[in-house]
Amino acid sequence: MLRRSFVCLVVALIAADPAGAGTIVVKLALAPGKLRVTAKPAAIPPGGKRAVAVQVADGRGNGKGWTLRLVRTAGLTVTSITARCAARSTCTLPRAVTPAKGAVLRAAPGTGMGVVELVVTVRAAKSATAAFAVS
């Protein structure tokens, strides 16, 4: 009985008129995201160094690039930066260009898109807190 029902269903589907007889219009719109930075402020002791995890997410879709800055630069020096794409993210790694005054990293146009994870190592001459902003 079940077999007969299945055969009847298959025959009915084959004999049915194509579902594409009409025109179906599907409109898609992409909403651009934002440019944001995520990093916990890090306390650095006098004469010490600290590696700070920084995540920059550029979902704007315009490829204009971005600039990462320390919020307060007094007594702080960036000694190294490493970058990788975040897990489950399609990104273009930032290609560094000559940083503007006070910039830690400046991503060239067409780079730094998607979610990029950075490790920024900061040295402090005196006790300081490293915090980041992106524009």
Side-chain angles (χ1 to χ4, degrees), residues 49-74:
K49 282 201 290 191
R50 179 168 242 179
V52 183
V54 179
Q55 187 179 75
V56 177
D58 185 358
R60 299 173 297 172
N62 59 18
K64 288 186 177 179
W66 42 262
T67 302
L68 180 69
R69 290 183 165 75
L70 280 165
V71 174
R72 292 184 185 92
T73 59

Side-chain angles (χ1 to χ4, degrees), residues 5-23:
S5 297
F6 179 72
V7 170
C8 289
L9 177 64
V10 170
V11 170
L13 288 174
I14 292 172
D17 286 337
T23 301

Side-chain angles (χ1 to χ4, degrees), residues 17 26 29-30 40 60 87 102 128:
D17 286 337
V26 178
L30 298 176
K40 293 181 180 177
R60 299 173 297 172

Side-chain angles (χ1 to χ4, degrees), residues 40-46 48-52 76 122 124 126-131:
K40 293 181 180 177
I44 305 170
K49 282 201 290 191
R50 179 168 242 179
V52 183
L76 295 175
V122 182
K126 57 183 181 178
S127 183
T129 299

